[in-house]
Amino acid sequence: MRFAEAWRVALDALRANRMRSALTMLGVIIGVASVVVLVAIGTGAKREVERQVEGLGSNLLVVVPGRIDIGSAPAVSRLDLADVDAVSRVVGDPSRVAVTVASGETVRAGRRSDFTTVQGVLETTPAVFTRRLGRGSYLTASDVDTSRRVAVLGAAVAGALFGDRDPIGQQVSIAGVRFRVIGVFAPLGQSLGVDRDDEVHIPVTAAHRLYGTQRIDGIAVKAPDRERIDDLGARIVAELTRRHPDTEFSAVTQQQILGVLGDILGVLTGVLAAIAGISLLVGGVGVSNIMLVSVRERTREIGLRKAVGARPRDIGLQFLLEAVLLTSIGGVTGMALGVGAALTADALSPVPAAITWWSLALAFGVSAAVGIVFGVVPAQRAGRLDPVVALRAE
Amino acid sequence: MATPAIEAVDVSRTYQLDGVSVPALRGVTLTVAAGDYVAVIGPSGSGKSTLMHLLGGLDRPTGGRLVLGGREVGSLTPPELATLRNETIGFVFQAFHLLPRTSAVDNVALPLVYRGIGARQRRERAAAVLGRVGLGHRLHHRPNQLSGGEQQRVAIARALVTDPTVLLADEPTGNLDTVNGQAVLALLEELNTESGVALVMVTHDNEVAARARRRITMRDGVVVADSAADDPPADSAAVPDGPAAGGDADPTAGDGTERAEAAR
């Protein structure tokens, strides 16, 4: 009964000061909405990255010299094709092994030119990574064996050099050496910030001749299944370490890449949510402020209620409920607003946004908690008012 | 005789104002019997308001012994004191102290909320008491839709709804014109006579005080005169036949006004 009365009085107080209540709620609404929107964008970005990493091909294992560590400089590679053969023997299936030796080069066709990444590769590349051709054909084993000067263009490179013309059979010059275009990749788009349509594939042997080197930058292996991927990586690293005792090698799986990227994006999402949380905090201070005003305004009412038998707890509950009601209504409104804004951003802009139930629960829980935390002091003050003083108040 | 409604023995109350002790009451001893009708008079600053607050359990004495409804006030916690006020005291204030935006019946029912009584029963009891003070036709009016006299009668109904043993009235006619003041006074006296609730009234109006069965005069924080002490037989006698100054008129709302007019 006492609780029902406190509830009724709290609602009545909010209704009696509509404008003030609405403005106070606005602080909470903005805070909750920004938490919901920013967490949605952070979550959306994380999912997008996961999708793209998965899109590189499944069960992928990348072997590179040096230690894989965010922030460390890439090590100079001492791998060569003999090492690739050794890795193939460990894997037991050469068609599952791809290599790359990359260099930034200017590619010309007639008067047009494009600066792009030229990758020396094996004929296994489309199978190891999931790459589809748009036109023509890919490199063959014999192209690699004979260092044939043939090239497969990324969709963007083909567009830059040939526009709408069909590049198949046309000549391009890479670093001054002529190559014949035999295929064009289907467009892939961006992946992890890299334009994957902006590259040219040539046989690794031709690349070695072109660059005057024998090195291999990295080896990629498509494992037969997910269970054996870590074991396979360890065996490859052991074999390479045996061949190059003074060099360190790392084998990285998609899961590890996802883990690292996920951690980074998780931290970013957390930071965004924390910044939004600050505005929620400011909203809470506003609630506290208004509640103190409310207590002061209703001092006589408090005195009267105490005179007729309200205990300090009854008065405190009444004001605490008023504060919690303010922030809860604000919280629900902010949630609706935040979900709406996130869905709109997702639909109308390239920003991905994903609503998660936990972010909604968190936002609402926090806003209700803000009401309790910031309502407690004014409520206690109301509860402790001396009835004699309160009754005399103007 | 039954236990007294109020028993004060050498009660004092000292305020601390900026580190300075200001004695407002300096040893007051008095007993209010059940059903008594007492007027407390004295100049401003004499301590009569402080005495009222103590007798109403709104404040606790800093010295002496004060017993309300059989309980020693000094030993009670604030929540216990709140419950004691709810159960034994009814307040009538000079400024009415009604909740705005709240109907008469809900204003009257308010003390029952803190007694944990259900909404329906609260309203029934409040409506009955409002009928008794002559406002049965004003149940759903809000204070700003009522005259001053009606507002004070709502406040009296609120004080009565809990069946208190003592009605404490602090200048109950102070904000009313003569006609309404007389009516309110008549109502209080009638309630005192009929339901046996003790009536303690602070006033500085000697005419009002003259109607009480007993007058306590305060000055400088002490009782300087108590008609009960001056004239014990008159006070210890049974309750007189009717209100001291009401005659035999029926003191309901309308009649109160007529009587007041007739008295001029």
Side-chain angles (χ1 to χ4, degrees), chain A residues 4-353:
Chain A
E5 170 75 2
W7 182 255
R8 196 190 62 71
V9 171
L11 262 178
D12 199 50
L14 294 190
R15 239 182 274 134
N17 297 294
R18 272 170 228 262
M19 189 65 181
R20 192 170 79 186
S21 306
L23 286 175
T24 309
M25 276 178 203
L26 196 60
V28 179
I29 290 171
I30 291 171
V32 169
S34 35
V35 167
V36 169
V37 167
L38 292 178
V39 169
I41 288 174
T43 310
K46 196 170 167 180
R47 287 197 186 158
E48 179 66 16
V49 165
E50 284 169 3
R51 197 181 61 73
Q52 289 185 0
V53 170
E54 299 283 358
L56 289 175
S58 50
N59 299 341
L60 211 56
L61 192 66
V62 175
V63 182
V64 290
R67 187 192 293 274
I68 293 277
D69 217 350
I70 300 291
S72 71
V76 174
S77 175
R78 302 182 63 177
L79 294 171
D80 55 25
L81 283 172
D83 295 314
V84 176
D85 290 338
V87 169
S88 293
R89 280 194 297 278
V90 173
V91 175
D93 180 358
S95 73
R96 292 185 172 280
V97 179
V99 304
T100 176
V101 50
S103 178
E105 301 291 347
T106 302
V107 182
R108 293 179 195 282
R111 263 185 249 135
R112 299 202 196 186
S113 70
D114 187 24
F115 186 81
T116 185
T117 305
V118 176
Q119 295 200 17
V121 297
L122 295 173
E123 75 285 358
T124 51
T125 299
V128 173
F129 299 97
T130 311
R131 302 267 344 224
R132 274 200 206 91
L133 281 185
R135 266 187 246 169
S137 55
Y138 198 67
L139 311 173
T140 62
S142 86
D143 289 340
V144 174
D145 289 345
T146 59
S147 318
R148 199 168 285 148
R149 295 202 298 274
V150 290
V152 178
L153 307 184
V157 178
L161 295 180
F162 295 101
D164 294 333
R165 287 188 292 138
D166 184 1
I168 306 296
Q170 301 291 322
Q171 299 283 332
V172 293
S173 86
I174 301 171
V177 178
R178 292 203 297 179
F179 282 73
R180 187 166 51 87
V181 178
I182 58 168
V184 177
F185 284 116
L188 255 182
Q190 297 252 330
S191 179
L192 306 177
V194 176
D195 185 352
R196 297 186 65 203
D197 296 327
D198 187 20
E199 59 185 26
V200 173
H201 286 197
I202 60 175
V204 64
T205 44
H208 280 162
R209 200 175 283 175
L210 192 65
Y211 306 153
T213 177
Q214 292 300 310
R215 79 185 148 86
I216 294 292
D217 290 338
I219 301 172
V221 175
K222 188 180 177 69
D225 53 58
R226 183 160 287 192
E227 283 67 43
R228 272 180 282 173
I229 199 164
D230 289 327
D231 172 55
L232 188 60
R235 274 161 48 216
I236 291 169
V237 168
E239 171 65 11
L240 290 176
T241 306
R242 192 183 61 75
R243 294 169 62 87
H244 302 275
D246 51 347
T247 308
E248 207 172 354
F249 294 95
S250 309
V252 204
T253 64
Q254 275 161 306
Q255 265 55 48
Q256 288 169 318
I257 296 172
L258 280 180
V260 171
L261 290 173
D263 286 352
I264 294 171
L265 286 168
V267 168
L268 272 175
T269 305
V271 169
L272 287 178
I275 291 170
I278 291 172
S279 65
L280 193 52
L281 205 69
V282 174
V285 173
V287 170
S288 207
N289 200 8
I290 279 304
M291 289 314 299
L292 287 173
V293 172
S294 183
V295 169
R296 173 154 297 185
E297 267 182 3
R298 285 150 71 195
T299 304
R300 272 162 60 109
E301 176 192 328
I302 294 167
L304 183 270
R305 285 178 183 273
K306 286 198 156 189
V308 301
R311 296 165 303 180
R313 192 148 46 102
D314 296 318
I315 300 296
L317 182 69
Q318 172 189 330
F319 283 92
L320 193 60
L321 268 179
E322 189 178 327
V324 171
L325 217 58
L326 264 176
T327 59
S328 300
I329 296 173
V332 171
T333 314
M335 265 161 60
L337 215 66
V339 168
L343 293 181
T344 308
D346 193 51
L348 302 182
S349 77
V351 179

